[in-house]
Amino acid sequence: METRDHEICAGPSLPCGDLNRDSGALMYRFRSSVLVLTLFVVAICVHVAGAREPAAEVPSIDVPDLPDPELVETYRHAASDNVLAAVNPQVFVGYFSVCADGQGFGYGNSYPSLDGHQMSAALLWLNQVETVKANWEYVRTFQRSNGQLPLAILPALAGQRIGVEPAMSTVDANGGLYEHWVPGNPLAALASPTFIQNADVIYRHTLDRDWLAANLDRVNLSADYLTSLANTCGLIEGAGYYIERPVRIAADGVAQCHAIDAFRRVAALNRVLSRDGAAERYEALARRTADRFVTDFWAEDHFAEYWHPARGFITSHGLTDVDWAALAMDVATPSQQARLWPALRTGASAFYYGGMPTGISTHPERYEDWEFTHPDRHDLAAMGRVWYVECWARCRLGDAAGLLDTLHRVAREGKRSGYSWRERYYPTDGDVPVPAGAEKYCEYPANFVRIVNQFLLGVDLRLDGTIVLAPRVPDDYWARGFGHVVRARGALVRYHLQRDRIAISSVGPREVKLGLCLPAGAAPHAWRTVASTAGCSVQGDERILWLTLPPAAAETPCQISLAR
């Protein structure tokens, strides 16, 4: 095992936290697919009241207009048969399961860490604002006075001990699981960024300042709890950010990047309400964490995967999800990005286990037994959470071809399985992965919806109130035309874009300022208005064509057509 043993702090070696270092302790993932192994996993599969009541009727959806039938059909199934199907107000208003059948990982259970954001963000793109707000209200009632939020909410297990001796934890009397029983407490840094991400996307989709004012103190408190996880060296501990085996004791590189992103988001939300003092504090935390990360984790040509208190920085598994995260969240320095990005682009196929994106490393075979506290290697798999981060990085760096390739890989696997996905995909010698985990798991479909909207179509709901479309699509999309519908902030904006023609319509009670990032060679000043509703205006700067769309009723929508 290659490690980097240099000190990450000036002066003598520091313990950097009070950690349980017994790497031989038995570990179980709190949502293990090996259902018979623990009381906890058996119990979460109990059906409350004996059976699931019928869920509410799935609402209709807006399907993107893409010159790619495979992606259109997959989007339709991902949204209707998976994400929306998981919503069940009969459990409580705002409830959604992590599985489309409502059964996997336990009827009535909630997983606000990770899944809580993947599902909330997808539901917002599907115009389910009230569901997401209601779910937020439910989750925030579990926040402790120090800002800590639960990994999972397991009502049927309230007050019970879970796990396998000697590795045990107690579910709180309120049903919240706040501490993992695995030595090193993986996922400890996951709940706060998830909560912060949800506050960010709720505000971006609604611009509801009253909601933000009522909830910002809670958001800040969660950021303060995240800050408390920093060790004396300035690294955020909490072991694996979104994985448990390997456990990644003690400071996961993915957790550093997500913490930086979370601090930046909290700062920006405080700026919205002119809480400049708080904003400056969180901006300083983001800079401090980023400075430590880019200095300490960099290993000549890629980032270390994690820091272990006894073994130093672990760098022997090839490129990892930490490298994707550093680019996705704009943490790597320009020189690091210049070195890292070509390696990720040329070596990406090694992340696709059995052809499925995206695994946690390019050399999963190099993990050693001491990195696992349970005999199986459960998280050496392709997972939707890593895929999303990869696509985020590709979007930031303008890689339309790579982005589309991953979408097609996920689409093909979905079609092969009747448009149902599993939680994990293990590698094989061929091009077909081995699926594992719960049936009808919503991670891949939720992220499919998010990736199409945020990254492929580039819909940017900015905090200043503007909406910017910055598509990451290939040339043939611009030649053949593409479009979609944005429902946000009380407005409905329908758009169709081609290389030489743009058509926009909007409905809503307020003016919409819409920015268009156009393909190469289509300068903003080259466009002329062909037809428009009274009150529309067009203005271009060096990069963006800005349209001002006046308020309009559904019976008389605002419409504008441009050509060049």
Side-chain angles (χ1 to χ4, degrees):
M1 168 61 64
E2 175 192 351
T3 63
R4 289 171 56 219
D5 292 324
H6 74 265
E7 297 301 326
I8 63 172
C9 297
S13 178
L14 296 174
C16 295
D18 182 14
L19 297 173
N20 182 340
R21 301 185 188 182
D22 181 9
S23 62
L26 190 63
M27 178 175 84
Y28 280 86
R29 188 172 191 271
F30 78 87
R31 297 184 320 188
S32 173
S33 62
V34 189
L35 298 178
V36 298
L37 292 180
T38 70
L39 165 65
F40 166 68
V41 179
V42 171
I44 67 172
C45 293
V46 173
H47 297 174
V48 176
R52 184 188 189 214
E53 300 92 339
E57 182 180 350
V58 173
S60 61
I61 64 167
D62 300 305
V63 178
D65 174 18
L66 306 176
D68 193 326
E70 182 175 66
L71 295 191
V72 172
E73 189 65 12
T74 303
Y75 186 98
R76 186 191 312 277
H77 287 287
S80 292
D81 302 349
N82 293 271
V83 177
L84 292 171
V87 176
N88 186 0
Q90 295 186 30
V91 176
F92 62 82
V93 175
Y95 177 79
F96 50 76
S97 174
V98 297
C99 294
D101 61 5
Q103 306 291 348
F105 297 128
Y107 179 81
N109 290 339
S110 296
Y111 297 89
S113 296
L114 183 70
D115 299 270
H117 178 58
Q118 293 178 145
M119 286 292 291
S120 291
L123 286 166
L124 286 170
W125 287 117
L126 300 173
N127 199 35
Q128 302 303 300
V129 173
E130 296 310 313
T131 295
V132 173
K133 280 187 170 182
N135 189 269
W136 165 279
E137 291 297 320
Y138 174 73
V139 170
R140 80 179 182 91
T141 65
F142 291 84
Q143 187 177 38
R144 289 176 164 173
S145 60
N146 67 350
Q148 187 181 18
L149 290 146
L151 308 175
I153 301 170
L154 314 168
L157 290 172
Q160 296 187 36
R161 295 278 287 170
I162 59 174
V164 173
E165 295 287 359
M168 301 289 288
S169 187
T170 301
V171 179
D172 194 88
N174 67 7
L177 178 65
Y178 292 88
E179 184 174 348
H180 217 298
W181 60 89
V182 172
N185 194 23
L187 313 188
L190 179 59
S192 290
T194 302
F195 193 67
I196 291 163
Q197 290 162 349
N198 277 348
D200 178 68
V201 295
I202 288 171
Y203 183 73
R204 288 178 184 273
H205 278 262
T206 64
L207 293 183
D208 187 341
R209 291 177 67 90
D210 291 339
W211 182 91
L212 182 60
N215 287 282
L216 189 55
D217 287 342
R218 293 276 190 168
V219 176
N220 290 350
L221 189 61
S222 68
D224 294 342
Y225 179 77
L226 182 61
T227 305
S228 75
L229 299 180
N231 63 25
T232 54
C233 307
L235 298 179
I236 302 296
E237 294 194 353
Y241 181 71
Y242 47 36
I243 62 173
E244 296 107 348
R245 47 193 196 259
V247 68
R248 286 182 175 174
I249 293 174
D252 182 358
V254 175
Q256 311 311 303
C257 295
H258 274 282
I260 294 160
D261 178 68
F263 291 141
R264 290 170 177 169
R265 290 179 193 243
V266 174
L269 291 175
N270 277 274
R271 293 282 186 199
V272 169
L273 297 184
S274 300
R275 297 187 183 182
D276 295 335
E280 289 168 4
R281 180 161 63 90
Y282 295 119
E283 287 163 355
L285 285 167
R287 288 192 300 270
R288 185 188 75 180
T289 309
D291 288 345
R292 291 250 58 101
F293 175 77
V294 299
T295 301
D296 298 331
F297 273 74
W298 186 245
E300 297 184 2
D301 59 358
H302 69 291
F303 286 101
E305 183 176 352
Y306 62 100
W307 173 77
H308 188 280
R311 297 174 182 263
F313 285 93
I314 307 305
T315 63
S316 292
H317 307 133
L319 298 171
T320 70
D321 52 347
V322 179
D323 297 306
W324 288 118
L327 297 188
M329 296 168 218
D330 196 18
V331 179
T333 67
S335 62
Q336 290 168 343
Q337 177 175 297
R339 186 77 181 270
L340 186 58
W341 177 228
L344 284 170
R345 291 191 74 179
T346 57
S349 62
F351 282 101
Y352 304 156
Y353 299 173
M356 187 69 166
T358 306
I360 67 170
S361 77
T362 55
H363 286 286
E365 76 281 0
R366 293 181 183 173
Y367 285 88
E368 299 184 35
D369 290 344
W370 65 264
E371 298 181 82
F372 300 83
T373 54
H374 180 70
D376 73 42
R377 300 190 169 203
H378 194 55
D379 288 320
L380 298 186
M383 295 176 283
R385 65 207 68 172
V386 188
W387 175 49
Y388 178 82
V389 174
E390 177 195 352
C391 290
W392 190 353
R394 290 188 182 279
C395 177
R396 270 203 68 246
L397 294 165
D399 183 15
L403 187 62
L404 267 180
D405 175 63
T406 71
L407 282 164
H408 279 288
R409 289 174 183 271
V410 172
R412 288 194 294 269
E413 179 59 32
K415 185 176 182 179
R416 185 161 40 236
S417 304
Y419 293 104
S420 173
W421 288 263
R422 304 285 284 276
E423 185 176 16
R424 287 171 170 73
Y425 292 87
Y426 292 112
T428 63
D429 293 333
D431 294 330
V432 179
V434 176
E439 301 278 355
K440 300 182 182 297
Y441 189 59
C442 285
E443 182 171 41
Y444 274 102
N447 284 327
F448 195 96
V449 170
R450 298 170 71 199
I451 289 164
V452 168
N453 283 285
Q454 293 170 239
F455 303 146
L456 185 69
L457 297 175
V459 182
D460 184 3
L461 303 174
R462 296 187 172 181
L463 293 177
D464 65 4
T466 61
I467 300 173
V468 174
L469 307 180
R472 293 291 188 266
V473 296
D475 287 343
D476 71 300
Y477 270 53
W478 287 107
R480 298 165 65 186
F482 63 95
H484 197 16
V485 173
V486 178
R487 295 180 186 268
R489 307 165 179 179
L492 184 157
V493 178
R494 190 179 305 275
Y495 63 92
H496 188 82
L497 309 179
Q498 279 185 276
R499 184 172 300 281
D500 298 316
R501 185 168 293 274
I502 294 170
I504 307 287
S505 69
S506 70
V507 170
R510 290 180 293 276
E511 179 182 275
V512 174
K513 189 164 186 180
L514 179 69
L516 305 176
C517 294
L518 302 166
H525 65 267
W527 293 83
R528 59 184 175 82
T529 302
V530 175
S532 71
T533 302
C536 293
S537 66
V538 182
Q539 184 178 1
D541 60 25
E542 292 182 359
R543 297 177 52 253
I544 299 178
L545 182 69
W546 290 102
L547 310 180
T548 300
L549 310 174
E555 299 78 16
T556 56
C558 169
Q559 296 181 322
I560 183 168
S561 298
L562 304 170
R564 71 181 182 102

